[in-house]
Amino acid sequence: MPSRKELANAIRVLSMDAVQQAKSGHPGAPMGMADIAEVLWRDYLKHNPTNPQWADRDRFILSNGHGSMLIYSLLHLSGYDLPMEEIKNFRQLHSKTPGHPEYGYAPGVETTTGPLGQGITNAVGMAIAEKALAAQFNREGHDIVDHYTYTFMGDGCLMEGISHEACSLAGTLGLGKLIAFWDDNGISIDGEVEGWFSDDTPARFESYGWHVVRGVDGHDSEAIRAAIEEGRANSDKPTLICCKTVIGYGSPNKSGSHDCHGAPLGDEEIKAAREFLGWSHDAFVIPQDVYSQWDAKEAGQQKEQSWKDKFAAYKAEFPELAAEFERRQNSELPADWAEKSQAYIEQLQANPDNPATRKASQNALNAFGPMLPEFMGGSADLAGSNLTLWSGSKGLTSDDANGNYIFYGVREFGMSAIMNGIALHKGFIPYGATFLMFMEYARNAVRMAALMKTPSIFVYTHDSIGLGEDGPTHQPVEQMASLRYTPNLVNWRPCDQVESAIAWQQAIERKDGPTSLVFTRQGLAQQERNAEQLANVKKGGYVLSCDGNPEVILIATGSEVQLAMDAATELRAQGKQVRVVSMPSTDLFDEQDAAYKESVLPAAVTRRVAVEAGIADFWYKYVGLNGKVIGMTTFGESAPAGELFKLFGFTVDNVVAAANSQF
């Protein structure tokens, strides 16, 4: 029977061979962490390679995602649908083994990692989801939600600021089923980290409220086992296991240095490594007895069947809870969702009011929240400004995880990546809020949500220079354009309470990607709509007002829609035929067929003006190079909102002049 070291060496040789064949990659981390991975995956990880989506599986996150051959080796050896051909195609076009682990490519990859620090933060989100689901669904004698979240991370993850945000919150929330392994090898791309990373990491995590296991030999299987046992025995705190390892372990001439961090070892060094490890097999050849020891299919099926038996007993005693659990795991909305949400929207249209859209957002939460027990809200210390708390909100705490709202503190980036972890875990619809300006702190997590197609809902308020006296540091200018240019991200900037409710409805219904909802601080007048116009809001852009044969089209979003309507009134008084288009979601409008887009923006009408208190350049795609855009080309100023709108040209007179200049 192969020894533990031989089983770990299978990871090492697969990793160095795949990187060598690809002529690029990172062999150091997989070779250094192979012993830790062997113990965790073979002795502790609860998973089923034949069903990677089993609800009560443990989650494994490789936060230092550049070491992707580690997880690909583990998945291949354990029996997932990742054949050797995919290992050989590492980093090649259309393979299931891209350079960094990508969610949706290889079965068993729980999240996309690579931007350092986000994997551990996703893991925090998954651990929050596990704890909250357990509190909501488990009953005495029926622990149907009972799994761990394990994550590997390197020095780079710990240097990234997001790790401070996420790990601090993880300690505060007492995530006892989160166990993180720190690959303490002392090496990063630039060399030995002691010159730029001298933190007392164990003390740092202890200060967060974590349980810390110090000084573990990452190449000693028994020491690793003892550390994991200690972590699992501590149920009220997350655990950091500090593993001292040698990067590139097994490479006689390159291990322990940055030479093996991010480049192939080379043919000669691989030959030497095989001799050092006592591995006599050719490249990409794994002996059958090694495969047999790694194969987790039968054991995984037994574990899942055991859980199914537990769930059947749970279902017999708590049929309604069981049905609700299954609905949420399947990401299905309640049966009456469509009817009730639409009825609320129609009620709003029939009863005009003029709130700020951030308040309209809160009203929508109060209407939709009781229908959606899967809501998991939050705000980055701005609940009173973002208005994300609704009447049924209950804070999630260390002592009481049966909540649906996370007080994230001032952690915009951490919040956003945690939301992605919650969404990936399943069982919840996460939303989280900050000011639109501070989306910038979280930008990469928003991008990752779009890349992974996770249904996170990002709520942004204080959407323009209308913020006023707080000045340009708090006034978003380029942020809407930045969000709109992000593939697979749907963005809404609604003009009134009706569009705001529809934006929420559509975000909740979306399953193939994230949504950003952008709201105002100032009150906005409600627009009149007939049934057809109300239905067309969901298409992202629609005709709000139109004369029979328009000569000029005014396009606007958010707070500028009323300005466009007022300008249209003035132009009509001058004898012009005018169409006003409200475009709350340019992304959804762009997805419509050519016939619909032509019906809204007919090509024959070339006189066009776009109005938005954001960066002007974005709008030329709709008005053409000869059209006019009333928008921002500079940063804002500190002054009352009304004065700023006048200063930057957001006035009826200026919109009318821009329209008339084209005649």
Side-chain angles (χ1 to χ4, degrees):
M1 181 181 295
S3 67
R4 282 194 177 276
K5 191 62 72 175
E6 288 177 282
L7 296 173
N9 287 344
I11 297 171
R12 293 186 170 101
V13 295
L14 280 177
S15 297
M16 66 185 187
D17 288 343
V19 170
Q20 185 66 27
Q21 178 148 311
K23 297 182 173 60
S24 70
H26 300 75
M31 296 175 74
M33 299 193 79
D35 297 302
I36 309 167
E38 185 272 329
V39 173
L40 175 65
W41 274 62
R42 292 188 62 251
D43 292 0
Y44 292 98
L45 195 72
K46 183 175 69 172
H47 64 125
N48 180 6
T50 62
N51 181 14
Q53 295 302 313
W54 169 29
D56 201 41
R57 69 191 181 278
D58 291 338
R59 270 62 170 181
F60 174 77
I61 309 300
L62 184 68
S63 189
N64 46 340
H66 54 271
S68 56
M69 268 310 304
L70 176 61
I71 192 169
Y72 298 148
S73 299
L74 289 165
L75 294 171
H76 170 74
L77 292 166
S78 297
Y80 285 79
D81 184 16
L82 195 68
M84 186 64 82
E85 194 60 34
E86 294 293 347
I87 303 297
K88 293 179 179 179
N89 285 335
F90 178 54
R91 286 182 161 237
Q92 304 309 300
L93 184 64
H94 301 316
S95 75
K96 292 182 179 180
T97 50
H100 290 83
E102 302 279 352
Y103 180 69
Y105 283 63
V109 171
E110 300 283 3
T111 183
T112 299
T113 56
L116 294 179
Q118 287 198 64
I120 172 61
T121 310
N122 293 162
V124 170
M126 293 178 186
I128 289 173
E130 191 277 340
K131 184 169 184 172
L133 272 181
Q136 292 182 16
F137 285 98
N138 287 354
R139 295 295 182 268
E140 186 175 354
H142 296 276
D143 292 336
I144 62 162
V145 180
D146 183 16
H147 54 265
Y148 284 84
T149 302
Y150 298 101
T151 182
F152 284 4
M153 57 185 180
D155 295 314
C157 289
L158 293 176
M159 283 186 260
E160 287 286 359
I162 190 174
S163 74
H164 296 255
E165 297 182 26
C167 295
S168 169
L169 185 61
T172 299
L173 294 179
L175 303 179
K177 289 188 176 176
L178 172 63
I179 298 179
F181 296 79
W182 169 32
D183 182 27
D184 180 15
N185 60 36
I187 297 293
S188 66
I189 291 176
D190 283 349
E192 296 182 7
V193 300
E194 61 185 13
W196 48 87
F197 184 50
S198 59
D199 304 15
D200 185 342
T201 297
R204 169 188 155 192
F205 274 76
E206 285 170 346
S207 76
Y208 291 155
W210 286 54
H211 176 70
V212 176
V213 185
R214 297 171 179 247
V216 177
D217 182 347
H219 302 298
D220 182 336
S221 298
E222 289 308 310
I224 296 163
R225 276 182 56 85
I228 296 172
E229 289 289 343
E230 184 177 333
R232 288 166 60 98
N234 193 306
S235 61
D236 60 348
K237 293 180 179 181
T239 294
L240 176 70
I241 299 176
C242 305
C243 299
K244 197 65 182 175
T245 64
V246 177
I247 189 172
Y249 181 93
S251 171
N253 303 302
K254 295 187 177 183
S255 64
S257 76
H258 69 280
D259 293 339
C260 65
H261 171 87
L265 297 180
D267 291 333
E268 289 303 313
E269 186 65 11
I270 286 178
K271 181 180 178 182
R274 275 184 154 75
E275 293 177 3
F276 178 88
L277 296 171
W279 191 271
S280 59
H281 312 286
D282 292 337
F284 301 109
V285 173
I286 303 295
Q288 190 56 50
D289 59 346
V290 172
Y291 271 129
S292 296
Q293 290 300 307
W294 268 107
D295 191 348
K297 294 193 292 295
E298 183 178 348
Q301 289 168 347
Q302 291 175 352
K303 290 173 184 176
E304 182 175 359
Q305 186 57 53
S306 176
W307 179 83
K308 286 181 176 178
D309 293 342
K310 286 170 59 177
F311 189 77
Y314 176 80
K315 193 170 187 176
E317 189 166 348
F318 306 103
E320 292 183 1
L321 274 176
E324 178 69 5
F325 181 82
E326 291 176 318
R327 177 185 74 78
R328 287 167 59 172
Q329 287 298 316
N330 293 329
S331 300
E332 298 170 354
L333 290 171
D336 58 357
W337 161 258
E339 178 184 354
K340 287 187 174 180
S341 63
Q342 191 60 33
Y344 173 70
I345 290 165
E346 292 173 1
Q347 178 187 8
L348 288 180
Q349 188 62 59
N351 296 276
D353 195 10
N354 307 318
T357 51
R358 64 169 174 164
K359 180 60 179 176
S361 168
Q362 186 178 50
N363 293 341
L365 287 171
N366 275 308
F368 296 155
M371 308 179 205
L372 299 169
E374 58 263 54
F375 254 171
M376 183 61 78
S379 175
D381 203 49
L382 288 169
S385 294
N386 299 146
L387 301 185
T388 45
L389 286 167
W390 56 282
S391 60
S393 292
K394 177 185 175 183
L396 189 150
T397 68
S398 177
D399 296 330
D400 184 3
N402 188 17
N404 60 2
Y405 193 91
I406 301 169
F407 290 93
Y408 284 102
V410 187
R411 300 180 176 99
E412 296 90 352
F413 194 4
M415 172 185 73
S416 303
I418 286 170
M419 288 166 55
N420 291 342
I422 293 171
L424 288 165
H425 183 280
K426 293 189 177 179
F428 294 100
I429 297 175
Y431 69 87
T434 185
F435 289 172
L436 177 57
M437 185 64 248
F438 302 126
M439 175 278 295
E440 293 290 352
Y441 281 135
R443 186 71 182 83
N444 199 258
V446 178
R447 182 180 187 271
M448 293 293 281
L451 184 64
M452 293 189 286
K453 302 180 180 178
T454 59
S456 301
I457 301 176
F458 301 105
V459 179
Y460 301 123
T461 67
H462 299 64
D463 68 334
S464 72
I465 57 171
L467 180 61
E469 294 87 343
D470 278 334
T473 61
H474 283 55
Q475 293 167 5
V477 173
E478 71 274 30
Q479 282 64 38
M480 279 303 309
S482 172
L483 290 169
R484 288 170 177 151
Y485 284 132
T486 304
N488 200 47
L489 177 65
V490 170
N491 306 280
W492 287 84
R493 186 171 182 249
C495 76
D496 63 8
Q497 66 169 354
V498 174
E499 286 188 359
S500 297
I502 292 172
W504 264 111
Q505 179 197 52
Q506 297 304 294
I508 290 164
E509 292 180 4
R510 188 174 190 220
K511 301 304 176 192
D512 60 352
T515 302
S516 82
L517 306 176
V518 181
F519 300 119
T520 64
R521 184 177 74 165
Q522 68 271 30
L524 301 183
Q526 181 164 319
Q527 304 300 319
E528 294 184 9
R529 299 175 185 84
N530 59 31
E532 181 181 4
Q533 289 170 316
L534 189 64
N536 285 341
V537 174
K538 297 177 183 179
K539 297 180 179 180
Y542 63 103
V543 178
L544 183 61
S545 173
C546 187
D547 301 319
N549 190 22
E551 303 167 275
V552 62
I553 299 174
L554 307 181
I555 310 169
T557 77
S559 52
E560 288 69 69
V561 168
Q562 184 58 52
L563 174 59
M565 292 290 283
D566 293 342
T569 299
E570 178 63 26
L571 286 165
R572 286 164 181 149
Q574 297 175 8
K576 304 295 194 304
Q577 300 282 298
V578 186
R579 169 174 291 189
V580 177
V581 171
S582 176
M583 199 175 287
S585 177
T586 61
D587 311 280
L588 291 179
F589 180 75
D590 290 347
E591 291 178 2
Q592 304 307 310
D593 60 35
Y596 180 76
K597 287 188 279 192
E598 172 67 16
S599 74
V600 176
L601 298 176
V605 185
T606 58
R607 299 185 183 99
R608 301 181 182 186
V609 180
V611 191
E612 185 177 56
I615 203 73
D617 285 355
F618 172 83
W619 288 97
Y620 286 101
K621 66 185 286 189
Y622 299 109
V623 303
L625 294 179
N626 295 321
K628 301 293 182 181
V629 179
I630 310 297
M632 298 296 294
T633 58
T634 68
F635 294 114
E637 296 282 352
S638 178
E643 294 180 27
L644 292 175
F645 282 124
K646 291 178 183 178
L647 175 67
F648 291 106
F650 296 98
T651 65
V652 170
D653 289 346
N654 198 34
V655 177
V656 169
N660 282 331
S661 70
Q662 298 177 79
F663 284 90

